[in-house]
Amino acid sequence: MVVAPVAELEDIIGEMNHFKYKYDHMLVIGNGFDLNLGLATRYSDFVKSNIFKKMYEKRIQEKEKKQPSLIDYLYGKSFCERWYDIELSLFEYVSRKPDGGFVNNVEIDRRDHELLCESLVEYLTSLFKTGDDLKQSHEMQQTSSGQLLQNVNSERSVLYSFNYTPINLIINAVLGSISLKTKQVHGEIKEESIFKGVIKDSGIVLGIEVDDINSIAPGYSFLIKSNNLAYKSTNLALDLLYTRNVILFGHSLNQMDFGYLCEYFMMMASNRDNERILTIITKDKESRVSLLDNIRKMGISVRDICAHTKVEYILTDNIDVKDSKDAKLFNGLLERLELSY
């Protein structure tokens, strides 16, 4: 079903022209941002790591019952690159089967999920213990992600991260200090995990989001993101509406996360404020098409968004190509970020 901008948004859109923006710039980042920094944060990187393998072998030995469980299912998905694919795999695992039945290993799978999250935190923290922090910081500064962080005017900007990596640690590595306001939508790795290696609870939100609880097996609601103790309320949906310029960097706009952004895109499809700019930064032509197709799958017209809003697409693969359109747009974005309105 195609979702058109709802009538109730008309009053909000009308107010936008007179409302003083809360933020000049909002940076919304997904895993592509971390990959651009040079961090090995693909799901496949994690599954192929010694940390995952050690956890998997230990878990196989622990299980009293030898039947396949959640950990076995995810191990078989080691070919997947994107975290979104794994979230969909989790949903497939707990969904109704063709024969009408459900999976039924609740307690075993609950433990699998806990160990999976703890191992993921251990893996991600290991990425920041290279033994050469100065070299890592310098390399991050040279990337498109690093340049973006260096040019953000922190007073009137905010960063929302959908990643599990410690964004404040990344900002500190790039800038030498933390002044940019940040929020992590899916939880955050605790400092004691990074600096002391203590992982009592993962602090991250890895799971699924469903509207129909009856679509998943009984007892598996512990996998629902918003049921996780680490899940926190954010103002993301409202902040998007009251931000002048939104920059999406490395976010796939996938089905599981689109709910946070849906109202914003609905509003942009009927936008009456010609000052707004939406900048989408992604890797290449293929990822750009995939991202736009994900918007369409949610019933929102990309054509209407482009007709009512200034939309810029920047491909990171082309930023370093001299005099390319992407290089010019990226340099223009960096200049714009330094300005205060």
Side-chain angles (χ1 to χ4, degrees):
M1 181 180 71
V2 175
V3 179
V6 295
E8 288 76 7
L9 281 176
E10 291 295 317
D11 292 337
I12 297 177
I13 295 169
E15 282 183 34
M16 296 298 181
N17 293 323
H18 307 288
F19 190 90
K20 185 177 181 180
Y21 288 102
K22 182 178 180 181
Y23 297 110
D24 291 328
H25 308 289
M26 179 190 293
L27 184 57
V28 181
I29 64 172
N31 193 43
F33 182 90
D34 285 355
L35 292 173
N36 184 266
L37 284 169
L39 298 172
T41 53
R42 294 182 180 87
Y43 178 75
S44 56
D45 295 323
F46 169 49
V47 176
K48 293 172 184 176
S49 71
N50 289 331
I51 290 173
F52 185 95
K53 291 175 181 176
K54 182 179 177 181
M55 179 271 297
Y56 178 72
E57 291 170 0
K58 179 183 177 182
R59 185 62 184 137
I60 293 301
Q61 294 172 359
E62 275 183 359
K63 288 194 295 185
E64 295 179 7
K65 298 179 180 180
K66 300 303 180 182
Q67 75 267 29
S69 64
L70 178 62
I71 204 73
D72 301 291
Y73 185 78
L74 292 180
Y75 185 74
K77 299 287 184 178
S78 59
F79 60 88
C80 292
E81 296 285 322
R82 302 173 299 182
W83 289 101
Y84 169 52
D85 293 325
I86 296 309
E87 292 176 348
L88 283 182
S89 296
L90 287 172
F91 181 71
E92 290 170 3
Y93 181 77
V94 298
S95 295
R96 190 179 298 276
K97 308 304 177 188
D99 61 4
F102 283 112
V103 65
N104 187 24
N105 299 317
V106 177
E107 293 309 315
I108 295 174
D109 290 338
R110 187 192 299 273
R111 182 58 178 154
D112 281 0
H113 181 253
E114 290 173 354
L115 290 174
L116 179 74
C117 292
E118 290 173 6
S119 296
L120 176 56
V121 169
E122 184 181 354
Y123 172 73
L124 292 176
T125 57
S126 73
L127 301 181
F128 295 88
K129 297 177 181 178
T130 63
D132 193 347
D133 293 338
L134 289 176
K135 180 180 178 182
Q136 187 180 36
S137 297
H138 177 71
E139 290 173 348
M140 286 184 174
Q141 290 168 0
Q142 307 310 307
T143 65
S144 302
S145 298
Q147 292 178 59
L148 202 60
L149 289 177
Q150 293 174 69
N151 282 268
V152 173
N153 183 325
S154 59
E155 268 187 40
R156 295 277 296 163
S157 304
V158 62
L159 184 153
Y160 274 90
S161 173
F162 280 78
N163 302 331
Y164 302 119
T165 45
I167 186 59
N168 284 335
L169 189 62
I170 290 173
I171 293 173
N172 190 58
V174 173
L175 302 179
S177 62
I178 301 171
S179 57
L180 179 62
K181 184 177 182 181
T182 63
K183 298 184 180 184
Q184 296 207 223
V185 179
H186 291 155
E188 57 188 329
I189 298 176
K190 299 175 182 178
E191 288 190 7
E192 60 183 7
S193 297
I194 301 169
F195 299 113
K196 298 180 181 179
V198 179
I199 307 175
K200 294 181 180 178
D201 58 87
S202 68
I204 63 173
V205 181
L206 173 62
I208 61 177
E209 231 8 298
V210 295
D211 293 321
D212 181 9
I213 191 64
N214 295 315
S215 66
I216 66 172
Y220 279 88
S221 62
F222 67 86
L223 284 176
I224 298 176
K225 291 179 181 179
S226 49
N227 283 350
N228 192 308
L229 290 175
Y231 184 90
K232 296 179 181 179
S233 175
T234 70
N235 290 324
L236 175 55
L238 190 60
D239 283 350
L240 278 165
L241 295 177
Y242 293 112
T243 298
R244 187 188 303 267
N245 300 320
V246 173
I247 304 158
L248 297 174
F249 194 141
H251 198 297
S252 66
L253 300 181
N254 63 71
Q255 177 183 338
M256 290 291 175
D257 291 332
F258 198 83
Y260 296 99
L261 307 163
C262 185
E263 190 175 3
Y264 169 75
F265 280 105
M266 289 169 63
M267 185 271 291
M268 296 305 273
S270 297
N271 179 40
R272 297 176 184 172
D273 183 354
N274 59 14
E275 292 184 345
R276 289 180 178 271
I277 302 176
L278 168 62
T279 303
I280 296 175
I281 305 178
T282 189
K283 186 178 188 301
D284 52 29
K285 292 179 181 178
E286 288 74 21
S287 61
R288 174 182 177 274
V289 170
S290 176
L291 180 150
L292 295 178
D293 283 348
N294 283 340
I295 296 177
R296 296 183 181 102
K297 288 175 184 176
M298 294 299 103
I300 296 176
S301 170
V302 173
R303 179 193 60 238
D304 286 349
I305 293 173
C306 293
H308 291 87
T309 304
K310 181 178 180 181
V311 182
E312 296 180 343
Y313 303 99
I314 301 176
L315 308 183
T316 56
D317 277 2
N318 296 337
I319 285 177
D320 292 330
V321 178
K322 186 177 180 181
D323 295 328
S324 68
K325 175 184 176 183
D326 298 280
K328 293 176 181 178
L329 285 173
F330 187 67
N331 289 330
L333 172 62
L334 296 182
E335 292 175 5
R336 194 161 67 239
L337 283 170
E338 291 182 311
L339 298 176
S340 295
Y341 289 90

